[in-house]
Amino acid sequence: MSGYLTTHVLDTARGRPAAGLPIELFRIDGGPEKIAEKVTNADGRTDGPILPEIAFETGEYELVFHAGAYLTATGQPTGFLSIIPIRFSMSERAHYHVPLLLSPFGYSTYRGS
């Protein structure tokens, strides 16, 4: 099985996908290195895997969600959440899915399918 990474963001306060939210992906092993930068589409997803099969390597990564920019753009309360970093490890060649459930005052994540 080939490895790749996907993500999506749901705005739980508005009850819809979070469109237009900037996301960065960093590889942490060997020092932080930015390897991808995407913006969510109307479905709250990136248009393709944020880390496709061709670039996949096992290791430690960090997704950085620019929640403050999104919240400001959608007219929601800002000032509490600005940047949401989620650090995780991918230890085997598999599909990893890391969603973000977002509101102006909190968030949650999990390993999805």
Side-chain angles (χ1 to χ4, degrees), residues 25-44:
L25 175 65
F26 292 84
R27 182 169 173 81
I28 302 303
D29 296 336
E33 173 190 1
K34 184 169 27 173
I35 57 174
E37 197 169 351
K38 304 263 186 174
V39 176
T40 56
N41 60 23
D43 196 33

Side-chain angles (χ1 to χ4, degrees), residues 62-99:
E62 184 172 83
L63 282 167
V64 177
F65 297 88
H66 293 266
Y70 166 79
L71 294 169
T72 297
T74 57
Q76 297 185 71
T78 59
F80 180 64
L81 293 175
S82 58
I83 303 290
I84 300 171
I86 299 173
R87 191 169 287 190
F88 56 96
S89 293
M90 297 189 290
S91 59
E92 60 183 315
R93 296 191 70 77
H95 175 203
Y96 290 82
H97 183 69
V98 181

